């Protein structure tokens, strides 16, 4: 018997099965041979929320939640945040290696070359109500891009795939900024290809307009802010098989084009449990209002009345390494924008929570969202833009994961199984013989 295996005894039949273990997993399909009777379908696993199911093998992002480690292609996130740029990281994700200076030059030039969007896209944006949520506009216009680049359907061609990567990385900031400009009734600002990636985005967002809520109206011209935003983009570029990335893989497993698949991934990101938590942190900090209210707030959390937003993570059971980097950048941003007073409440909340047994025993630490909203707000981004700011860099991760899944011979169209618990077969009842039923979740 191989040591790298597990033996399962089916107590219904007394039969034992030896299943190979590879990379700490067994293949779910190996369970199918375990049958109570010859007609039996075979054993399946039940795993809502994919709590313990690896849906793919990946070589892109590594997370060790217990140790607080996050690496892209083996490079620690804090080193990338310190030494790299977002475009370099996007290249690293896609290509698997950091670019040489010549490769970086060509990649950066290519991204700049693709920043414009077709003029007709502006008409789409004009069709939205003035108060439309920018994320709704982003999701729709990314999907619409598929109709402008029909050749993108040719997903088996590596060259075509590469061009869509250039296009999407380049155009997401333009779409995002245009969505924002529409929501504030301001004329669109075209991309300026002389500017860096984050710098260009800030310019398209805020040119000719004081950033809403910014503590220092002219701060968006500061290179420190552009660098801080670039770092935030690095931190959000990928996070392995989270909800939006899994959506990307699932939708594109039907060979859907990358624009429509990215729209689906962005739709998943839109949800408050995924890309919307930093907004909830801001609401919470405002509600607390003053450091003197923190003990009372924490007591409510411990009584289970509410959650401390921005704390806890499904994977990280120690300090989220991204939160550490963001905390460092918060101070640098505030030197330019002025200090966002919410940071004092956040710091004190963190100090008290990290000394409290409720949080210690449950391994609840600040996650990426605890400080990011405070920085975005200080930079002048309205809270509606927070999920959009997440979607821009995550596009690099979504597309890299998409490409990896297409190149993986193990992958198939995603099609989970279910445990059917509904009624058994029964005859159709004519409408005049039906009686109202108490247990029906009616729609009338
Ligand atoms: N505040 C207070 N208690 C908490 C919190 C929190 N933020 N998070 C978890 N707990 C408690 C929870 O009540 C449970 O306690 P008990 O064992 O007494 O029932 C215990 O900790 C374990 O929590 P869980 O709900 O089983 O953990 P989970 O892995 O299902 O949830 C989470 C992870 C992120 C949804 C959750 O921690 C949470 O809701 N946090 C606040 C929202 C938030 O900040 N979300 C952003 C996540 S990071 C963004 C990203 O990477 O996409």
């Amino acid at each position: 018997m191989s040591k790298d295996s597990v033996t399962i005894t089916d107590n219904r039949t007394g039969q034992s099965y030896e299943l190979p273990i590879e990379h700490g997993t067994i293949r779910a399909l190996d369970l199918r041979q375990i049958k109570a009777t010859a007609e039996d379908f075979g054993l399946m696993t039940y795993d809502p929320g994919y709590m313990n199911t690896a849906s793919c093998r990946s070589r892109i992002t590594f997370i060790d939640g217990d140790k607080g480690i996050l690496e892209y292609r083996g490079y620690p996130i804090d080193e990338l945040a310190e030494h790299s740029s977002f475009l370099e990281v996007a290249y690293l994700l896609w290509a698997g290696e950091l670019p040489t200076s010549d490769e970086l030059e060509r990649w950066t030039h290519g991204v700049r070359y693709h920043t414009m969007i077709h003029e007709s896209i502006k008409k789409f944006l004009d069709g939205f109500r003035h108060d439309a949520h920018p994320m709704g506009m982003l999701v729709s216009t990314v999907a619409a891009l598929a109709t402008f680049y029909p050749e993108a359907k040719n997903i088996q061609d590596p060259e075509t795939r590469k061009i869509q990567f250039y296009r999407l990385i380049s155009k997401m900031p333009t779409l995002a900024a245009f969505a924002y400009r529409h929501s504030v009734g301001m004329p669109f600002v075209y991309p300026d290809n002389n500017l860096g990636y984050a710098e260009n985005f800030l310019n398209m967002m805020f040119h000719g307009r004081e950033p809403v809520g910014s503590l220092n109206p002219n701060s968006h011209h500061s290179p420190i802010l552009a660098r801080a935003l670039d770092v935030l983009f690095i931190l959000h570029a990928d996070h392995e098989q989270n909800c939006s990335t899994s959506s990307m893989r699932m939708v594109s497993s039907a060979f859907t084009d990358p624009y429509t698949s990215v729209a689906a991934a962005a739709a998943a990101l839109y949800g408050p449990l995924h890309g919307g938590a930093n907004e909830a942190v801001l609401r919470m900090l405002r509600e607390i209002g003053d450091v003197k209210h923190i003990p009372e707030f924490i007591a409510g959390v411990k009584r289970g009345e509410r959650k401390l937003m921005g704390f806890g993570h499904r994977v990280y059971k120690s300090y989220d390494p991204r939160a550490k980097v963001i905390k460092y950048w918060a101070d640098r941003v505030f030197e330019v924008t002025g200090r966002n007073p919410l940071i004092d409440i956040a710091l004190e909340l963190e100090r008290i929570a990290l000394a409290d047994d409720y949080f210690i025993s449950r391994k609840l630490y600040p996650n990426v969202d605890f400080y990011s909203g405070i920085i975005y707000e200080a930079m002048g981004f309205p809270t509606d833009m927070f999920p959009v700011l997440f979607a821009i860099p995550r596009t690099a991760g979504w597309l890299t994961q998409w490409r990896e899944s297409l190149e993986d011979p193990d992958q198939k169209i995603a099609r989970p199984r279910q445990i059917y618990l509904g009624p058994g077969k029964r005859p159709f009842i004519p409408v005049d013989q039906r009686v109202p039923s108490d247990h029906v979740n009616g729609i009338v």
Side-chain angles (χ1 to χ4, degrees), residues 3 14 19 46 52 100 121 137 143 163 169 184 213 235 248 277 285 289 319 341 353 360 372 395 407 411 415 429:
K3 254 180 110 185
L19 309 185
Y46 175 55
N52 194 37
T100 62
I121 288 282
M137 290 192 259
I163 293 165
I169 297 296
V184 290
L235 302 180
M248 178 81 196
L285 295 175
Y319 214 100
I360 297 169
S372 62
T395 301
E407 290 173 353
Q411 287 299 327
R415 204 319 186 171
I429 307 168

Side-chain angles (χ1 to χ4, degrees), residues 35 44 49 158 184 285 297 312 330 335 345 394 406-407 411 444:
K35 299 180 182 210
M44 295 191 295
V184 290
L285 295 175
F297 177 85
E335 280 165 22
I345 302 176
R394 186 54 60 86
L406 286 175
E407 290 173 353
Q411 287 299 327
V444 288

Side-chain angles (χ1 to χ4, degrees), residues 239 274 277 301 307-314 317 322 358 362 364 367 369:
H239 211 232
H274 189 5
V301 170
K307 281 190 167 171
L308 174 50
M309 297 308 288
F311 259 65
H313 198 277
R314 173 64 61 76
K317 299 302 169 198
R322 300 169 297 176
Y358 175 94
R362 288 172 180 76
L364 300 172
N367 60 49
D369 288 320

